C-alpha cells in the first residue's frame, strides 16, 4: 500500500511538472511577430478587464466630434516600427442613431466599439498592402485569444481616400470583414443616381446575374439627405454678378439706376451706426426616410424622384460663425467703440486741457488730408486706437467753435430743442446745450424787440409834427395810450382761467365808505392778473384775491442744483437761508402779486403762495360765506394768523416783501439773463478738462448704445431679456463714479469700465444673433427660441472672459427636429436658385427641394439572412437561428465625391 501510494504521489508530481512545462512561454525562442501579438493581447486583456468606467478613471479621452465616445491609446513596437492602437468605446448602452454624432467608422460599418491600429508616421496609414494584411491578422489573432468580439481596423492607401480594412470575429463560425474607399473626383454617372448605387450593392452577392434589374432582392434601405441654404458669401457673389450685368445694361441706358442690395439688418436699430454681419452663416436641413424594403432598381428610380416633404424626419442644424466675427480686427460694433472711449478716458488724465492732445503738426481737420492708400484692417485698428483721443480733441475744439458761432449769430442749435425745459436725465453737456438753446431763443426775442422799438421811434419822429399841430388831440392820445396799456395787461389773462374771469367786486355803500380812504388812484389799477383765486378775499380790502402771472423759475442744470445743495450742506439748512437762495424768484413773485392785488399785505401773499404758513381760525373754517352781489353781510375779514416761522422777528420773506416793487411780470427784469448765462455756458465748454469731457462721453455712449440695442425686436427670448436687464444694472453701478465726478487716474473704475466693455460685447453678440433668428422664424418662434436657448447655454461659460480668449476650436453643434407645421417655413428658406446659381451648378442628383439638390446623400443598404437557411450553414455546427445582417453597404457623397464602405459576413 505504501509503495502504491508513493507511486501515485510520484505520478502526480510528474504531471504537475509537465503542466508547468506546457504553459511556460519561452520568449527567447519566440519571433518578434509572436511577441508583437502577445503585446497586443496583453493590452486588450487589460482594457477588457478594466471596462469603460475604469478606463474613464484612468484618463480616457473624450472625442469632441461626438457626445458619448471616448478612447484610450497604447503604443506597440514591432521590429523597427512603432504602432498606435486605439480603443474607442461608448458609455451608454443605447445604440446611437445615425442622426446623432457618430464616429466615422461607426457610421460606415455600423459598429459600436472598435480598435484602430495604425503606424506612427506622417501619413498615419499603412501604404504597403501585405503589411496591412499582416497587421490586421495579428490583431485578429490577439482578439481571438482574448475571446473579444471587437472589430479592428487598419487605415490603408492615401489618407485623402479615408480607406480602411477591418475584421471582426463574430463568436461563431462566421467572420465579418470590412472595407472602405473613396472616389474623390470623376464619379461615374451611374453612381450619381440611386439606381446605380443599388445595383452596386446587389453585385456584391449576386455574382452570376448579369441583369440585376430583372431580379428581385429584398434589400433594406435607409436614406439621409442634407440640404444647405446659401451662405452669405454665395449670396454676395450672386449679387455682384447680377450687379455687373445690370451695370453693363445701364451703360446703354443712362436713365436706368442700379438699386443697392438690401442688407439683412437695414431696419435694425443699430443700422444707423454700423452694419453687422449676419451671425448665421447658413442652415443645414437633414431629411431622413424611414427604413424601406426595395426589391428592384425600378423602385430606386422612383424613390429618386420623391419629394423631401415625404420624408419621415426633418432635422435643422444652424451653422453659426465661430466667434460671430468678434475676433477680427475690422469689427465695428458698439462694444469696440466703447472700448476705445474707455482707453481715451484713461489717457485723458495726462493733460489738463483739450488742446494738449492736438499735435502741433495737425492742429485741426484742415490739415487732415485724405489718401488713396488704405491700410489693412489690423493696421487701421491700431492707428485708430492711437489717434482716437486726438481725434476727439480735434472734433471737440471745432464743435465748440461752431457752438460759439451759433451763439454770436443768434442761430438755433441743430437738433437741440428750445422748449423751455432741461432734461436732467441727460449728461451735463447736453443740459448746457439745452440751456444755451433757450438763451439763444431769448436773445433773439430781445433783439427783435429792440429792432421793433427802433422802428417805432423812427415812425414816431416822422409823425411828430403832425401830432403837434393838433394839440387838442394830445390829451386824447395819452388817454388812448393809457387804455392800450390796460388792454396789454388784460391780454395776459387767459380766457377761462380757473373757470372764471376778472370782474370788479361790488361792495355795499358802507363797505366802500370804510375803505375809500385807504385806496389811491394809482394802487387801484390791477395789472398782470390771471384771475381770482376761488372765494379768497384780501385781508385789508374786501376784494377778491387774484393770482398773478409770474415769471418761470430760472432754469438750472445739474451742476447748478448740486452747487445749491453743497451750499446748504455747508451753511446748514435754515428757513432764511433758503429764502436767500430763492431771493430773485421770491422778489419777482411778490412784485407780480402786488401788481395784481393793489392794497394787498404780506399775509395775503403768504395765504396764496404758502398756504401751510397761514393758520385759519376754526370759526372761519366752519363759518358760512355770503354772496356780496346780493347785498348780504360778508364773512370778512378772514380770521387767522401767520405761522411761527413767518411771524418771527427778522423774517427774510417779509424783508423781501417790503423791498419788492409793484410790477407785473411783463415789466420785470427777466430772471434768466440770456447773455450772462450763455457766456457762462460757452466758458464751461471751452475750459472743460479732458477727463470731464470723456467721462460724460463714456456715460452717454454706454447708455445710448444700450438703449439702441434695447429697441431690437427679438421676440420672446427670456434669456435675452434677462441679459439686457443685467446689462442696465451693471452699467448703473459701474458708471456711477463718473456721474458724481469721483473718478481719478488711479481709480479702479477704469478696470471696471474695461470689464463692462467685455460684458457689453457679449450681450451685443447675443442680441444680434437673437434678432437674426427672430427675423427668420417669426412665424414659428419655437425654432428661434430653441436655437437661441441652446447657443446661450453653449456660450454661457465664456461670458466671464474677453471674446479674444474664447476657444474658437469648439464649435456650436445643434440638431432640432421639426414638426409638420414648421416644415413649410424652413422650406421657404431654400429660395429657387437664380440664373447665375443655376448656371454655376449642374443638377445631377434627384430629390430636389425648391430646385436645390442635396449637398450630401447618405444611404445604408443591407441584406438580412437566417444563417441556418443559407449555404454557409453546416450540419457539423450547432444551429444558428438569428437573423443576421450578412451584407451592409454605406455610401456617402455628391456628384463629385463618393465614399463606399462595405461589410460582409463570411464563413470561416
Amino acid at each position: 500500500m505504501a509503495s502504491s501510494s508513493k507511486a501515485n504521489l510520484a505520478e502526480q508530481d510528474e504531471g504537475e511538472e509537465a503542466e508547468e512545462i506546457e504553459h511556460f512561454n519561452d520568449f527567447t525562442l519566440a519571433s518578434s511577430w509572436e511577441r508583437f501579438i502577445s503585446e497586443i493581447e496583453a493590452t486588450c486583456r487589460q482594457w477588457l478587464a478594466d471596462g469603460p468606467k475604469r478606463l474613464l478613471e484612468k484618463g480616457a479621452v473624450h472625442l469632441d466630434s461626438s457626445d458619448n465616445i471616448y478612447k484610450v491609446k497604447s503604443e506597440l513596437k514591432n521590429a523597427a516600427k512603432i504602432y498606435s492602437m486605439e480603443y474607442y468605446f461608448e458609455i451608454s448602452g443605447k445604440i446611437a442613431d445615425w442622426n446623432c454624432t457618430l464616429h466615422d467608422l461607426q457610421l460606415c460599418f455600423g459598429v459600436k466599439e472598435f480598435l484602430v491600429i495604425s503606424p506612427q508616421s506622417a501619413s498615419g496609414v499603412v501604404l504597403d498592402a501585405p503589411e496591412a494584411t499582416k497587421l490586421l491578422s495579428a490583431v485578429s489573432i490577439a482578439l481571438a485569444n482574448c475571446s473579444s468580439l471587437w472589430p479592428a481596423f487598419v487605415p490603408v492607401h492615401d489618407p485623402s481616400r479615408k480607406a480602411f480594412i477591418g475584421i471582426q470575429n463574430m463568436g461563431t463560425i462566421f467572420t465579418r470583414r470590412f472595407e472602405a474607399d473613396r472616389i474623390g473626383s470623376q464619379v461615374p454617372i451611374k453612381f450619381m443616381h440611386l439606381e446605380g448605387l443599388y445595383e452596386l450593392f446587389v453585385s456584391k452577392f449576386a455574382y452570376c446575374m448579369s441583369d440585376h434589374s430583372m431580379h428581385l432582392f429584398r434589400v433594406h434601405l435607409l436614406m439621409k439627405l442634407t440640404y444647405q441654404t446659401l451662405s452669405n458669401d454665395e449670396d454676395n457673389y450672386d449679387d455682384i454678378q447680377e450687379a455687373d450685368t445690370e451695370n453693363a445694361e445701364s451703360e446703354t441706358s443712362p436713365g436706368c439706376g442700379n438699386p443697392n442690395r438690401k442688407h439683412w439688418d437695414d431696419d435694425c436699430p443699430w443700422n444707423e451706426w454700423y452694419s453687422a454681419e449676419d451671425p448665421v452663416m447658413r442652415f443645414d436641413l437633414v431629411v431622413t426616410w424611414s427604413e424601406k424594403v426595395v426589391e428592384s432598381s425600378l423602385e430606386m428610380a422612383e424613390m429618386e424622384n420623391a419629394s423631401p416633404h415625404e420624408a419621415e424626419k426633418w432635422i435643422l442644424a444652424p451653422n453659426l460663425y465661430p466667434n460671430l466675427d468678434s475676433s477680427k480686427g475690422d469689427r465695428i460694433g458698439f462694444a469696440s467703440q466703447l472700448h476705445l472711449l474707455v482707453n481715451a478716458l484713461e489717457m485723458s488724465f495726462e493733460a489738463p486741457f483739450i488742446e494738449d492732445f492736438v499735435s502741433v503738426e495737425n492742429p485741426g481737420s484742415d490739415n487732415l488730408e485724405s489718401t488713396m492708400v488704405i491700410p489693412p484692417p489690423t493696421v487701421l485698428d491700431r492707428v485708430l486706437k492711437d489717434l482716437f483721443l486726438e481725434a476727439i480733441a480735434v472734433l471737440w475744439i471745432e464743435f465748440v467753435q461752431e457752438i460759439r458761432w451759433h451763439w454770436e449769430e443768434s442761430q438755433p442749435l441743430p437738433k437741440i430743442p428750445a422748449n423751455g425745459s432741461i432734461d436732467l436725465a441727460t449728461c451735463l453737456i447736453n443740459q448746457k446745450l439745452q440751456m444755451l438753446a433757450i438763451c439763444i431763443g431769448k436773445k433773439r426775442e430781445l433783439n427783435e424787440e429792440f429792432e421793433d422799438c427802433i422802428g417805432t421811434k423812427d415812425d414816431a419822429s416822422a409823425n411828430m409834427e403832425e401830432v403837434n399841430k393838433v394839440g387838442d388831440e394830445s390829451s386824447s392820445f395819452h388817454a388812448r395810450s393809457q387804455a392800450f396799456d390796460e388792454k396789454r395787461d388784460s391780454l395776459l389773462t387767459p380766457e377761462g382761467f380757473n373757470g372764471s374771469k376778472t370782474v370788479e367786486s361790488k361792495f355795499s355803500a358802507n363797505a366802500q365808505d370804510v375803505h375809500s380812504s385807504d385806496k389811491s388812484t394809482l394802487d387801484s389799477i390791477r395789472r398782470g392778473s390771471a384771475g381770482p383765486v376761488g372765494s379768497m378775499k384780501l385781508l385789508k380790502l374786501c376784494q377778491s384775491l387774484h393770482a398773478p402771472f409770474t415769471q418761470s423759475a430760472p432754469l438750472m442744470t445739474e451742476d447748478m442744483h448740486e452747487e445749491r445743495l453743497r451750499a446748504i450742506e455747508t451753511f446748514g439748512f435754515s428757513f432764511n437761508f433758503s429764502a436767500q437762495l430763492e431771493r430773485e424768484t421770491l422778489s419777482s413773485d411778490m412784485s407780480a402779486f402786488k401788481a395784481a392785488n393793489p392794497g394787498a399785505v404780506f399775509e395775503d401773499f403768504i395765504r396764496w403762495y404758502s398756504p401751510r404758513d397761514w393758520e385759519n381760525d376754526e370759526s372761519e373754517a366752519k363759518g358760512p360765506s355770503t354772496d356780496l352781489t346780493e347785498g348780504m353781510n360778508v364773512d370778512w375779514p378772514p380770521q387767522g394768523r401767520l405761522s411761527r416761522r413767518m411771524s418771527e422777528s427778522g423774517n427774510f420773506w417779509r424783508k423781501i416783501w417790503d423791498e419788492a416793487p409793484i410790477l407785473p411780470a411783463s415789466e420785470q427784469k427777466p430772471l434768466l439773463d440770456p447773455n450772462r448765462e450763455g457766456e457762462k455756458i460757452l466758458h464751461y465748454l471751452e475750459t472743460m478738462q479732458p477727463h470731464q469731457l470723456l467721462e460724460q462721453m463714456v456715460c452717454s455712449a454706454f447708455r445710448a448704445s444700450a438703449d439702441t440695442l434695447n429697441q431690437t425686436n427679438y421676440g420672446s427670448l427670456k434669456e435675452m431679456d434677462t441679459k439686457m436687464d443685467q446689462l442696465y444694472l451693471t452699467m448703473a453701478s459701474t458708471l456711477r463714479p463718473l456721474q458724481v465726478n469721483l473718478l481719478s487716474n488711479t481709480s479702479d473704475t477704469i478696470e471696471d469700465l474695461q470689464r463692462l466693455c467685455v460684458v457689453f460685447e457679449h450681450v451685443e453678440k447675443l442680441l444680434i444673433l437673437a434678432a437674426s433668428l427672430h427675423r427668420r422664424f417669426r412665424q414659428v418662434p419655437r425654432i428661434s427660441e430653441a436655437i437661441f436657448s441652446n447657443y446661450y447655454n453653449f456660450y454661457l461659460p465664456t461670458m466671464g472672459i474677453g471674446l479674444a480668449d474664447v476657444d474658437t476650436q469648439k464649435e456650436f453643434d445643434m440638431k432640432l427636429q421639426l414638426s409638420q407645421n414648421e416644415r413649410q417655413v424652413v422650406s421657404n428658406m431654400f429660395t429657387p436658385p437664380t440664373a447665375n446659381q443655376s448656371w454655376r451648378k449642374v443638377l445631377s442628383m434627384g430629390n430636389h427641394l425648391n430646385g436645390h439638390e442635396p449637398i450630401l446623400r447618405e444611404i445604408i443598404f443591407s441584406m438580412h439572412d437566417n444563417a441556418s437557411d443559407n449555404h454557409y450553414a453546416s450540419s457539423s455546427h450547432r444551429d444558428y437561428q438569428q437573423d443576421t445582417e450578412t451584407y451592409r453597404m454605406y455610401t456617402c457623397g455628391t456628384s463629385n465625391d463618393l465614399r463606399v464602405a462595405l461589410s460582409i459576413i463570411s464563413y470561416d
Side-chain angles (χ1 to χ4, degrees):
M1 295 292 294
S3 60
S4 62
S5 62
K6 290 181 179 180
N8 293 333
L9 290 174
E11 293 176 358
Q12 184 177 357
D13 292 339
E14 291 176 358
E16 292 176 356
E17 291 177 0
E19 185 177 358
E20 290 177 1
I21 294 174
E22 182 180 355
H23 289 83
F24 177 74
N25 295 325
D26 188 3
F27 285 100
T28 60
L29 302 178
S31 64
S32 60
W33 189 248
E34 291 173 335
R35 288 193 296 268
F36 181 61
I37 295 175
S38 179
E39 189 176 356
I40 296 176
E41 179 181 346
T43 303
C44 293
R45 286 184 182 274
Q46 184 63 47
W47 288 344
L48 284 169
D50 289 339
K53 294 184 179 179
R54 181 64 177 166
L55 291 176
L56 284 179
E57 297 175 358
K58 289 185 175 182
V61 179
H62 177 259
L63 298 186
D64 294 334
S65 60
S66 179
D67 299 332
N68 195 35
I69 300 179
Y70 298 81
K71 74 173 182 178
V72 290
K73 183 178 180 181
S74 177
E75 291 186 357
L76 307 172
K77 187 175 182 181
N78 178 33
K81 291 189 175 181
I82 300 177
Y83 295 91
S84 173
M85 186 171 66
E86 297 174 335
Y87 169 49
Y88 294 81
F89 61 95
E90 296 180 351
I91 298 300
S92 63
K94 181 180 178 181
I95 299 177
D97 183 74
W98 75 338
N99 289 321
C100 302
T101 305
L102 298 175
H103 188 274
D104 179 62
L105 295 179
Q106 288 180 319
L107 189 59
C108 287
F109 302 111
V111 296
K112 182 180 177 182
E113 51 185 357
F114 54 91
L115 292 176
V116 176
I117 185 166
S118 59
Q120 289 190 353
S121 60
S123 63
V125 299
V126 180
L127 300 177
D128 184 52
E131 178 188 357
T133 304
K134 187 177 180 181
L135 184 61
L136 190 62
S137 176
V139 178
S140 177
I141 294 172
L143 291 175
N145 294 338
C146 298
S147 300
S148 172
L149 302 182
W150 294 343
F153 299 95
V154 175
V156 294
H157 305 309
D158 186 82
S160 62
R161 293 170 59 176
K162 298 181 181 179
F164 288 87
I165 59 173
I167 192 170
Q168 180 184 15
N169 179 18
M170 302 296 293
T172 59
I173 59 175
F174 304 113
T175 300
R176 188 191 300 270
R177 297 188 179 276
F178 307 96
E179 184 178 0
D181 207 342
R182 173 176 172 266
I183 302 176
S185 61
Q186 297 181 353
V187 178
I189 297 178
K190 65 178 299 185
F191 293 150
M192 297 180 186
H193 301 282
L194 298 182
E195 184 177 1
L197 294 175
Y198 170 81
E199 293 178 355
L200 174 64
F201 174 68
V202 173
S203 66
K204 299 301 178 181
F205 53 85
Y207 300 103
C208 60
M209 299 177 181
S210 59
D211 188 4
H212 305 306
S213 61
M214 302 303 296
H215 297 82
L216 302 179
F217 301 96
R218 293 183 58 83
V219 176
H220 294 259
L221 170 71
L222 287 172
M223 184 169 69
K224 179 170 70 172
L225 305 178
T226 301
Y227 300 87
Q228 195 174 78
T229 60
L230 294 178
S231 64
N232 298 329
D233 295 336
E234 291 174 320
D235 280 337
N236 293 337
Y237 176 83
D238 295 329
D239 293 333
I240 292 173
Q241 295 295 323
E242 293 177 2
D244 292 342
T245 303
E246 292 178 1
N247 289 335
E249 295 176 354
S250 62
E251 291 179 356
T252 59
S253 302
C256 298
N258 180 24
N260 295 328
R261 174 179 179 265
K262 182 177 175 61
H263 202 260
W264 79 274
D265 64 344
D266 281 350
D267 56 351
C268 290
W270 64 77
N271 185 261
E272 185 178 355
W273 305 97
Y274 69 94
S275 180
E277 291 296 331
D278 193 342
V280 181
M281 187 173 6
R282 63 174 67 92
F283 283 92
D284 290 344
L285 176 62
V286 180
V287 178
T288 59
W289 270 262
S290 58
E291 184 174 354
K292 296 180 178 294
V293 177
V294 181
E295 296 184 349
S296 67
S297 58
L298 296 178
E299 294 184 33
M300 296 299 297
E302 294 177 358
M303 190 173 182
E304 187 169 334
N305 296 324
S307 170
H309 290 275
E310 302 176 8
E312 179 188 16
K313 293 180 181 179
W314 279 31
I315 296 177
L316 188 67
N319 290 332
L320 309 180
Y321 284 104
N323 241 3
L324 306 190
D325 287 343
S326 60
S327 60
K328 295 183 179 179
D330 56 347
R331 52 188 172 86
I332 52 175
F334 284 138
S336 61
Q337 308 306 309
L338 292 174
H339 186 72
L340 292 176
L341 268 180
V342 173
N343 291 340
L345 173 61
E346 186 177 12
M347 297 171 56
S348 65
F349 291 95
E350 299 176 2
F353 304 107
I354 296 290
E355 291 78 6
D356 294 338
F357 289 100
V358 181
S359 62
V360 178
E361 294 80 5
N362 298 308
S365 61
D366 296 338
N367 296 329
L368 298 178
E369 299 179 356
S370 61
T371 176
M372 296 301 294
V373 179
I374 301 177
T378 54
V379 176
L380 184 62
D381 185 61
R382 186 178 67 253
V383 172
L384 285 177
K385 290 180 180 179
D386 296 337
L387 299 181
F388 192 73
L389 187 54
E390 181 180 339
I392 293 177
V394 172
L395 180 62
W396 178 254
I397 292 173
E398 295 193 357
F399 171 75
V400 174
Q401 292 175 354
E402 187 73 12
I403 293 296
R404 177 163 284 283
W405 179 88
H406 280 78
W407 165 251
E408 293 176 349
E409 300 296 330
S410 299
Q411 295 297 319
L413 296 179
K415 298 185 178 181
I416 302 294
N419 54 8
S421 63
I422 296 178
D423 187 2
L424 297 179
T426 60
C427 70
L428 183 58
I429 294 177
N430 189 67
Q431 296 177 36
K432 295 291 185 182
L433 294 177
Q434 288 178 345
M435 176 170 274
L436 184 61
I438 296 173
C439 292
I440 291 176
K442 296 288 186 182
K443 185 179 178 182
R444 288 170 59 91
E445 293 177 2
L446 293 176
N447 293 339
E448 291 174 358
E449 290 179 2
F450 178 76
E451 293 175 358
D452 291 343
C453 292
I454 296 298
T456 302
K457 289 182 179 180
D458 293 340
D459 294 341
S461 299
N463 297 328
M464 185 60 67
E465 294 181 359
E466 183 180 355
V467 174
N468 290 334
K469 291 180 182 180
V470 283
D472 295 338
E473 297 180 1
S474 61
S475 59
S476 62
F477 174 78
H478 175 73
R480 289 195 301 269
S481 300
Q482 188 175 10
F484 174 77
D485 291 338
E486 294 177 358
K487 291 181 180 179
R488 182 186 63 182
D489 288 331
S490 65
L491 290 176
L492 294 175
T493 305
E495 294 184 1
F497 181 83
N498 289 336
S500 63
K501 298 181 179 179
T502 304
V503 296
E504 292 186 1
S505 302
K506 298 181 179 180
F507 302 96
S508 62
N510 295 334
Q512 292 179 0
D513 293 339
V514 172
H515 301 288
S516 60
S517 60
D518 298 330
K519 296 174 58 178
S520 63
T521 304
L522 181 61
D523 292 340
S524 63
I525 300 176
R526 189 186 306 278
R527 294 178 297 168
S529 171
V533 182
S535 60
M536 292 182 65
K537 303 293 182 180
L538 298 178
L539 290 174
K540 301 301 183 182
L541 297 174
C542 189
Q543 295 182 1
S544 296
L545 187 149
H546 283 247
F549 283 110
T550 60
Q551 295 192 60
S552 301
L555 299 174
M556 291 191 296
T557 56
E558 185 178 2
D559 59 335
M560 299 169 68
H561 284 286
E562 292 177 352
E563 184 179 355
R564 284 175 175 263
L565 291 176
R566 286 194 297 268
I568 294 175
E569 293 176 355
T570 302
F571 298 99
F573 179 79
S574 66
F575 181 67
N576 288 336
F577 181 72
S578 176
Q580 291 179 7
L581 293 177
E582 303 292 339
R583 180 186 182 95
E584 293 184 358
T585 304
L586 271 175
S587 179
S588 173
D589 293 344
M590 289 178 176
S591 297
F593 185 82
K594 287 181 176 182
N597 296 278
V601 295
F602 176 67
E603 287 79 1
D604 292 325
F605 177 76
I606 295 299
R607 292 167 58 212
W608 168 71
Y609 197 84
S610 181
R612 65 189 183 92
D613 285 312
W614 177 258
E615 300 174 356
N616 290 321
D617 290 341
E618 294 183 1
S619 60
E620 180 184 3
K622 298 181 181 180
S625 61
T626 57
D627 191 352
L628 297 177
T629 60
E630 297 179 0
M632 301 179 63
N633 293 330
V634 182
D635 188 8
W636 180 88
Q639 302 298 316
R641 67 190 64 82
L642 291 174
S643 64
R644 181 177 179 180
R645 66 173 186 171
M646 285 295 179
S647 58
E648 290 179 350
S649 176
N651 180 271
F652 199 75
W653 281 47
R654 186 177 290 277
K655 181 179 179 181
I656 298 176
W657 171 267
D658 295 339
E659 297 175 354
I662 304 176
L663 285 176
S666 60
E667 300 179 11
Q668 295 178 10
K669 177 183 177 181
L671 293 176
L672 175 66
D673 186 350
N675 293 302
R676 181 187 63 185
E677 295 298 331
E679 290 296 336
K680 288 170 62 177
I681 293 171
L682 286 171
H683 177 74
Y684 168 82
L685 297 177
E686 292 171 344
T687 60
M688 177 179 291
Q689 295 183 354
H691 72 88
Q692 294 176 335
L693 171 62
L694 268 299
E695 287 173 8
Q696 297 186 51
M697 289 183 65
V698 168
C699 291
S700 302
F702 269 105
R703 186 57 188 261
S705 300
D707 290 344
T708 301
L709 293 180
N710 200 31
Q711 299 173 12
T712 306
N713 184 11
Y714 50 78
S716 301
L717 299 178
K718 297 181 180 179
E719 297 91 347
M720 199 67 248
D721 291 338
T722 302
K723 275 299 169 187
M724 289 302 300
D725 294 341
Q726 292 176 353
L727 177 62
Y728 276 105
L729 293 176
T730 306
M731 287 170 48
S733 61
T734 306
L735 300 178
R736 181 60 182 167
L738 278 69
Q739 297 171 342
V740 296
N741 299 322
L742 295 179
L743 186 63
S744 64
N745 56 349
T746 59
S747 175
D748 295 335
T749 307
I750 297 296
E751 296 181 2
D752 295 338
L753 290 172
Q754 292 173 347
R755 284 191 289 267
L756 179 60
C757 290
V758 174
V759 173
F760 197 100
E761 191 169 4
H762 287 300
V763 175
E764 185 176 17
K765 172 181 175 180
L766 290 174
L767 187 135
I768 293 176
L769 173 61
S772 177
L773 293 174
H774 176 69
R775 294 166 65 87
R776 284 179 168 88
F777 305 108
R778 199 184 303 265
Q779 299 177 354
V780 281
R782 186 192 75 90
I783 298 179
S784 60
E785 293 172 4
I787 295 176
F788 184 82
S789 179
N790 275 267
Y791 184 81
Y792 180 84
N793 295 330
F794 164 81
Y795 186 70
L796 191 61
T798 66
M799 293 290 283
I801 59 177
L803 289 180
D805 300 327
V806 175
D807 183 11
T808 58
Q809 295 182 354
K810 186 176 181 181
E811 297 182 358
F812 172 67
D813 184 23
M814 177 197 175
K815 294 179 175 60
L816 178 66
Q817 184 169 343
L818 304 178
S819 60
Q820 287 291 338
N821 61 330
E822 295 170 341
R823 291 189 178 187
Q824 188 58 47
V825 175
V826 175
S827 176
N828 294 337
M829 295 170 57
F830 294 86
T831 56
T834 62
N836 289 329
Q837 295 167 353
S838 300
W839 175 80
R840 288 161 50 205
K841 296 182 179 180
V842 179
L843 300 181
S844 55
M845 301 170 64
N847 304 113
H848 296 164
L849 176 61
N850 296 343
H852 295 261
E853 68 176 10
I855 64 166
L856 185 66
R857 179 171 59 192
E858 299 173 81
I859 304 175
I860 297 178
F861 297 96
S862 61
M863 280 286 293
H864 297 263
D865 290 329
N866 192 308
S868 62
D869 296 334
N870 59 33
H871 61 276
Y872 291 130
S874 174
S875 58
S876 61
H877 294 80
R878 61 182 177 86
D879 292 336
Y880 191 77
Q881 301 294 336
Q882 184 179 0
D883 190 24
T884 306
E885 186 182 67
T886 54
Y887 293 90
R888 184 185 190 274
M889 187 178 76
Y890 168 79
T891 64
C892 172
T894 64
S895 58
N896 298 321
D897 182 276
L898 178 63
R899 188 182 185 192
V900 178
L902 182 66
S903 64
I904 301 175
I905 293 181
S906 61
Y907 175 69
D908 289 340

